[in-house]
Amino acid sequence: MAKIRTVYVCQSCGHQEAKWLGRCPACNEWSSLVEEVVGTAKKDVSAPPPATVVRLSAVTGAAEMRRTTGIPELDRVLGGGLVKGALVLVGGDPGIGKSTLLLQAAGKLAGAGARCLYVSAEESVQQIKLRAVRLGIDSPELYLAGETSLEALETARAELQPAVLIVDSIQTVGIASLESAVGSVSQIRAATQHLLDLAKQGGLTVFVVAHVTKEGNIAGPKVMEHMVDTVLYFEGERTGPYRILRAHKNRFGSAQEIGVFEMHEDGLRAVGNPSEIFLSQRAHGPGAAVITALEGSRPILLEVQALTAPALYGAPRRITVGFDSQRVAMLTAVLDRRADVDIAGLDVYVNIAGGVRVAEPAADLGVLLAMASAVRGRAVPADTVVVGEVGLSGEVRASAQLAARVVEAKALGFARLLVPKVDLERWKGPPPELPLFGVATVLEALEELDLGRR
Ligand code: TYD
Ligand code: MG
């Protein structure tokens, strides 16, 4: 590697200094200077070479080659398998299972003949071996390295020519010739850039693990998100068995896919039918509703739970887990102003069961009905799935891909769906497999489910 030149850049105003300072002399911000790598001095630019321009139709080899990881849930989140030359970031809280997932993937890939190099600076090769034994992984094509310097890795990579490189983690592996500490913002940026070049030039797929960090001097995965091709986050409650792998960005596929896994003693197992799992411990009674969340290409049925309680101190609280609290505040106002449900003065708690996060507007109506059901003390019928976005005038708005949601609801044994009226009017193709009840307003939805004022 060429000698690396660095400067200290103020992260708040962009001012540059040759040496680190505690306070930026330009904007007076404290501790804002961060070491950054600058490119080596430009060569003679008096006669720049002409840019190469090609006709779109003349570009060949565009059909990207996909290699399966042997873990279908992971493949789907990646957009259909591994792409050559891609840099994939796998982020998540410490202990969530990132190393386990990647070691399992490496085991499958190596077993299928793709040479893998697993670089870990967090665990010794003996520790990795122990884990591999527990996971039942044993392949002559899987190589391990306990290395903290990317430069040192270079020769190993050149000799081995692996198809897949796994770096675990970016916070412990860095460029030794860089002055700043491994794990700092500038180290992570430089190391990511280095791995990016490696992936593109070497034609190999690189996985980089990054721990989500709380405030502190260790930088987190956010620093590298814009540089990499694909960003996957591994989420879930560490104490619970379920883990969700979610694509946040993907240059090679949909960024909405999720993969659901369950942690066992012998590693992660894919969960083929997430809806069944998420609904398995359903509570029956007031304050719950079943919604369909469209996660990438497939709908998943989830239970929304709501609880209301008299607000004792000051302004009523809106506390949510797995759903946007602003949106709950909005839906509360709609219930209060458009549907005559006395909820404005109550504390409201909303939870999506199973530790899943829902961002889809089509979940609105289900959340709203769960809250209304909690206030009125009457249950939403257990055989009903609710779909629809809610607007501020209390109107129920259209949702996407209703047909797929109906199929999933039927598969899980539900008897009917409450849907936006517009979707019913726009329904094309063969008649739906379950009866659909169209509602145009929140009031109509409450009446339909017998949650209206008696
Ligand atoms: P790990 O992959 O080390 O997490 P990360 O790399 O994200 O920090 O896995 C962490 C947890 O998973 C650990 O607490 C133990 C548990 N685990 C199992 O329950 N079963 C297994 O087979 C393995 C390998 C780990
Ligand atoms: Mg780990």
Side-chain angles (χ1 to χ4, degrees):
M1 276 173 87
K3 173 101 181 74
I4 293 169
R5 216 159 57 79
T6 62
V7 290
Y8 291 83
V9 181
C10 172
Q11 300 298 297
S12 89
C13 74
H15 176 78
Q16 294 192 0
E17 284 285 326
K19 283 267 171 289
W20 188 82
L21 296 173
R23 187 180 198 178
C24 172
C27 70
N28 293 330
E29 188 74 40
W30 287 100
S31 318
S32 63
L33 262 59
V34 165
E35 188 184 29
E36 286 188 5
V37 179
V38 287
T40 40
K42 289 252 162 64
K43 296 201 190 73
D44 180 22
V45 289
S46 52
T52 328
V53 178
V54 291
R55 236 183 251 274
L56 175 65
S57 55
V59 181
T60 54
E64 66 219 11
M65 292 279 293
R66 297 275 186 173
R67 188 198 294 275
T68 170
T69 59
I71 303 177
E73 286 297 277
L74 176 59
D75 282 347
R76 206 200 21 258
V77 180
L78 286 167
L82 292 183
V83 178
K84 246 180 155 182
L87 181 60
V88 182
L89 166 68
V90 179
D93 287 329
I96 201 75
K98 302 180 294 296
S99 305
T100 307
L101 177 70
L102 291 178
L103 190 60
Q104 280 183 261
K108 295 265 191 196
L109 281 158
R115 184 166 290 178
C116 295
L117 175 54
Y118 189 108
V119 182
S120 177
E122 303 209 331
E123 291 160 301
S124 66
V125 290
Q126 285 78 15
Q127 276 175 305
I128 301 171
K129 171 74 184 180
L130 274 177
R131 173 178 297 183
V133 169
R134 201 140 61 90
L135 299 173
I137 294 168
D138 182 24
S139 166
E141 287 298 312
L142 178 51
Y143 291 79
L144 305 177
E147 192 46 72
T148 56
S149 144
L150 282 178
E151 290 105 317
L153 211 79
E154 197 61 356
T155 35
R157 192 204 59 82
E159 265 171 37
L160 279 177
Q161 295 285 335
V164 178
L165 172 68
I166 296 165
V167 177
D168 188 1
S169 66
I170 197 74
Q171 279 113 346
T172 51
V173 175
I175 295 174
S177 61
L178 214 61
E179 207 174 283
S180 51
V182 166
S184 64
V185 172
S186 52
Q187 267 285 359
I188 287 190
R189 279 207 200 125
T192 308
Q193 186 58 50
H194 181 78
L195 290 171
L196 198 61
D197 295 343
L198 202 83
K200 303 287 175 235
Q201 282 154 24
L204 70 163
T205 312
V206 181
F207 281 100
V208 192
V209 171
H211 298 292
V212 170
T213 51
K214 306 279 172 276
E215 284 297 304
N217 49 3
I218 301 279
K222 286 267 173 276
V223 174
M224 38 198 304
E225 275 184 358
H226 66 285
M227 302 171 78
V228 305
D229 298 305
T230 302
V231 178
L232 310 181
Y233 275 97
F234 214 25
E235 305 166 350
E237 296 297 327
R238 260 181 66 180
T239 45
Y242 302 113
R243 304 281 186 273
I244 292 169
L245 187 67
R246 189 185 290 272
H248 278 237
K249 160 183 173 180
N250 196 351
R251 287 195 182 134
F252 306 109
S254 159
Q256 267 140 35
E257 289 293 350
I258 68 163
V260 184
F261 295 89
E262 196 173 353
M263 185 65 99
H264 288 266
E265 309 78 65
D266 57 349
L268 291 156
R269 277 188 223 151
V271 172
N273 191 342
S275 302
E276 207 165 284
I277 297 271
F278 291 132
L279 293 181
S280 63
Q281 296 169 53
R282 255 176 92 194
H284 295 282
V290 176
I291 57 166
T292 70
L294 206 57
E295 297 288 352
S297 55
R298 63 177 175 181
I300 294 180
L301 297 180
L302 294 167
E303 186 190 32
V304 184
Q305 304 174 332
L307 182 66
T308 56
L312 295 181
Y313 315 101
R317 299 189 291 174
R318 311 281 176 246
I319 294 177
T320 64
V321 177
F323 196 73
D324 184 20
S325 59
Q326 305 266 17
R327 220 154 168 98
V328 164
M330 189 195 93
L331 295 172
T332 313
V334 171
L335 269 181
D336 185 67
R337 310 297 298 180
R338 309 287 179 201
D340 199 19
V341 175
D342 299 321
I343 195 173
L346 300 176
D347 281 346
V348 178
Y349 304 88
V350 169
N351 174 40
I352 308 288
V356 187
R357 202 157 35 74
V358 178
E360 212 200 0
D364 287 354
L365 189 59
V367 173
L368 179 135
L369 290 173
M371 294 194 296
S373 155
V375 174
R376 297 256 149 102
R378 273 175 265 154
V380 173
D383 63 353
T384 306
V385 174
V386 183
V387 186
E389 181 181 342
V390 172
L392 282 181
S393 21
E395 81 275 23
V396 175
R397 306 169 69 98
S399 61
Q401 298 192 38
L402 190 55
R405 299 178 200 257
V406 176
V407 171
E408 181 74 1
K410 177 156 167 73
L412 271 285
F414 285 88
R416 62 172 188 164
L417 285 91
L418 197 68
V419 304
K421 198 168 215 158
V422 278
D423 284 348
L424 206 57
E425 286 156 4
R426 284 192 210 149
W427 184 276
K428 291 197 192 78
E433 293 179 51
L434 285 180
L436 306 183
F437 292 83
V439 288
T441 64
V442 165
L443 263 180
E444 278 181 41
L446 289 169
E447 288 302 325
E448 184 65 47
L449 299 185
D450 192 27
L451 293 173
R453 203 179 268 287
R454 277 184 182 150

